[in-house]
Amino acid sequence: MSAIRPVFYVSDGTGITAETVGHSLLTQFTGFSFVTDRMSFVDDVDKAHDAAARIRAAGERYQVRPIVVSSCVDSSLGLILEESGALVLDVFKPFIGPLEQELNATRHSKVGQAHGMVDFDTYHRRINAMNFALSHDDGIAVNYDEADVVLVAVSRAGKTPTCIYLAMHYGIRAANYPLTEEDLEQDRLPARLRPYRNKLFGLTIDPERLQQIRQERRPNSRYASAEVCKREVSAAEAMFRMERIPTLSTTHTSIEEISSKVLATLGLQREMY
Amino acid sequence: MSAIRPVFYVSDGTGITAETVGHSLLTQFTGFSFVTDRMSFVDDVDKAHDAAARIRAAGERYQVRPIVVSSCVDSSLGLILEESGALVLDVFKPFIGPLEQELNATRHSKVGQAHGMVDFDTYHRRINAMNFALSHDDGIAVNYDEADVVLVAVSRAGKTPTCIYLAMHYGIRAANYPLTEEDLEQDRLPARLRPYRNKLFGLTIDPERLQQIRQERRPNSRYASAEVCKREVSAAEAMFRMERIPTLSTTHTSIEEISSKVLATLGLQREMY
């Protein structure tokens, strides 16, 4: 059993970079009880002093040195954070020197460039893709011509969140097709999907897990029965195999990982937002 | 005018951490033409050699040293990437030493912990929050009791993507309330919102920008006219001021930044997914 260790993600912007790196680092150390706190928009000297005071107080409360993961672009703010006595890990500092040398240029420390201001084109691509995902979610009367990806799966296997993630973070036009019982009685790809074979990606899921999810949604329905879940999953997997549709199980896979695999498998290269 | 500089985000997992840090770093250097490429799931020696070969080839094609931002947890893979001749920035390396010393523990290099495997509780919170956002999107017949946040704005000011982002990345139950023309004729908060005052956050937008967005959606409608956009925005802003609802303009603000500000303003502390 280990004591609690306070961790702070501090940034003069949203703090997304600090939290992403910090979270990745902490997951490499197991058996610790980290309590994490985000401090975003710490963008002037006063706010940095306030942040340092809160960090110091946490150290006193837990009687242990806090850890700070900082993505303050303004490095003078990072220095103030060090006054808290915490171990301060500056996410950018180790890389700025090598990059400046390689590019033969000086970085400019304008805050909030990464997750802040956006141009209208970027905004458009993203929002249009999200509208596309939301309006192509049920598979009914949907035209897949404009889709970049069509996720195929039985109901509740993870299609909708993945489509939305692909749209939000990569501007991908992601549609989905829910396999019906009728579809699953055939061993073939449903006729509507056949013209789009190279856009298809199948999701599968452990039948017991599927049952849990469906049970929550429609308790004690036929839809949520062990038998139906098992039969649907096994029929879907057989069809994916037969038709050579690339497939991934969502059972233990995060939305991020499913999305990355879809992009890698279908060879879609998009910059992440 | 500067030459093109190839940049690779390489990871043995999704590559989200590498891309997040790399993007944040590159935005600090202006005037360069970076072409970026993501290589995810580079999780064995063979794939690392393939990646190194592709990186080397890009350097030869563009006649310039490539930049690699690596978040390979397995550091032996990072070493192989160096054979490409690129400048390799290892996102974790500078921090592992200080963390190991501070925690008096050795990190374990299991791949894909950060954005990979998920436990069912986490999955649940996230998916339930997304279902909540999707089913509480139109403001009609919605009960705000269970909401953590209610975003209030005129139509097309950015409510829906922000709600979905808050749900997906923070497990926040975000509902929204679209202000109708009727609401805007009053100077007061609509009656349905009054019991939820401490959950409200107002979004506003530049009327010209709003007009552009609406025009795309319903060309030449009254809804998309300059006059209606101007009047609606100004009435909404007046109401937010009068009722002291915290407000943010979405005009030049990314979904990430709006979401971070909402969390910071309403004092919601949630770990990011």
Side-chain angles (χ1 to χ4, degrees), chain B residues 151-154 157-159 162 201-205 240 247-248 250 258:
Chain B
L151 298 182
V152 186
V154 302
K159 294 183 301 297
T162 307
F201 193 100
L203 299 182
T204 186
I205 186 170
F240 295 149
T247 306
L248 182 69
T250 64
I258 303 168

Side-chain angles (χ1 to χ4, degrees), chain A residues 37 42 60 75 79 85 91 95 112 114 132 143 174 179-180 188 246 265:
Chain A
D37 198 343
V42 177
E60 285 161 7
S75 47
L79 289 177
V91 167
F95 309 115
F132 184 90
N143 182 338
L179 290 167
T180 62
R188 297 191 54 193
T265 305

Side-chain angles (χ1 to χ4, degrees), chain B residues 139-261:
Chain B
I140 300 161
V142 160
N143 181 338
Y144 294 116
D145 284 345
E146 291 183 358
D148 299 311
V149 176
V150 183
L151 298 182
V152 186
V154 302
S155 166
R156 293 287 118 186
K159 294 183 301 297
T160 301
T162 307
C163 282
I164 293 175
Y165 190 93
L166 284 167
M168 174 142 48
H169 288 287
Y170 299 99
I172 294 275
R173 292 172 166 262
N176 66 57
Y177 183 93
L179 291 166
T180 61
E181 289 203 86
E182 228 181 321
D183 293 328
L184 293 167
E185 279 161 21
Q186 325 291 318
D187 273 347
R188 297 192 56 194
L189 212 50
R192 279 186 53 210
L193 293 179
R194 282 180 218 149
Y196 307 104
R197 183 172 281 280
N198 55 350
K199 299 179 182 182
L200 304 183
F201 193 100
L203 299 182
T204 186
I205 186 170
D206 176 71
E208 283 177 33
R209 176 67 188 138
L210 182 63
Q211 198 199 339
Q212 273 183 300
I213 298 172
R214 289 186 173 182
Q215 177 67 18
E216 247 181 63
R217 199 160 172 93
R218 288 198 224 149
N220 308 317
S221 61
R222 189 176 156 278
Y223 165 83
S225 71
E227 197 204 320
V228 167
C229 291
K230 210 166 157 181
R231 194 172 62 223
E232 285 191 16
V233 169
S234 127
E237 288 179 351
M239 190 195 76
F240 295 149
R241 264 195 310 274
M242 175 104 76
E243 300 273 2
R244 302 179 183 226
I245 306 295
T247 306
L248 182 69
S249 165
T250 64
T251 313
H252 294 284
T253 317
S254 68
I255 306 172
E256 283 78 2
E257 191 164 14
I258 303 168
S259 302
S260 295
K261 294 251 184 195

Side-chain angles (χ1 to χ4, degrees), chain A residues 5 17 19 24 28 37-38 65 102 107 115 124 126 168-169 216 254 256 269-270 272, chain B residues 5 17 19 24 28 37-38 65 102 107 115 124 126 168-169 216 254 256 269-270 272:
Chain A
R5 174 77 72 151
T17 305
E19 191 157 356
S24 293
Q28 297 179 44
D37 198 343
R38 181 187 324 111
R65 191 181 187 201
E102 179 63 40
R107 70 106 176 227
H115 297 107
H124 257 114
R126 221 174 155 177
M168 173 140 54
H169 288 287
E216 247 181 62
S254 68
E256 284 77 3
Q269 267 293 352
R270 301 291 167 90
M272 198 184 169
Chain B
R5 173 76 73 153
T17 305
E19 189 156 356
S24 294
Q28 297 179 43
D37 198 343
R38 181 188 324 114
R65 190 180 186 201
E102 179 63 39
R107 69 108 176 226
H115 297 106
H124 257 115
R126 225 175 152 177
M168 174 142 48
H169 288 287
E216 247 181 63
S254 68
E256 283 78 2
Q269 267 292 351
R270 301 290 168 90
M272 198 182 169

